[in-house]
Amino acid sequence: MVTITDKAKGKIDHLMQDANLDGSYFLRVSVQGGGCSGLSYNLDFDNEIKKGDQFFEDRGIRLALDMKSFLYLAGTELDFSDGLNGKGFNFHNPNATRTCGCGESFSV
């Protein structure tokens, strides 16, 4: 399961409202090849269910993960930072075995 902090929930709600997305949309979270540690995280809004999707809900936000991403992200917390040291979504993954300077972390 992926959990969401209060700050991340607020930002997701704001982005959905700005894009005029209705309740049929959910947040698709995935892991893809690339990035400085070999993998990168991807966030997007979607309203199409794909075969193998795993669904979770935290703080009223519905999340969808494909099975590969679920295996990498199980137990991960999604946070949002708007501080001076960087602005954006951050993944706190307890399964990560290495990280890079951009704040992404992955298990390999």
Side-chain angles (χ1 to χ4, degrees), residues 85-97:
N85 291 331
K87 182 175 185 175
F89 288 101
N90 300 300
F91 292 84
H92 303 289
N93 188 339
N95 304 308
T97 56

Side-chain angles (χ1 to χ4, degrees), residues 38-97:
L39 297 170
S40 63
Y41 296 111
N42 186 40
L43 294 172
D44 202 2
F45 294 115
D46 197 352
N47 64 351
E48 294 183 27
I49 297 172
K50 298 178 182 174
K51 184 177 180 183
D53 277 347
Q54 304 294 307
F55 281 90
F56 303 96
E57 187 168 330
D58 190 40
R59 301 182 192 272
I61 303 293
R62 284 184 23 192
L63 300 124
L65 288 83
D66 60 72
M67 187 52 79
K68 175 187 168 191
S69 299
F70 171 72
L71 295 174
Y72 282 105
L73 296 174
T76 295
E77 179 185 68
L78 177 61
D79 193 12
F80 183 79
S81 173
D82 56 1
L84 296 175
N85 291 331
K87 182 175 185 175
F89 288 101
N90 300 300
F91 292 84
H92 303 289
N93 188 339
N95 304 308
T97 56

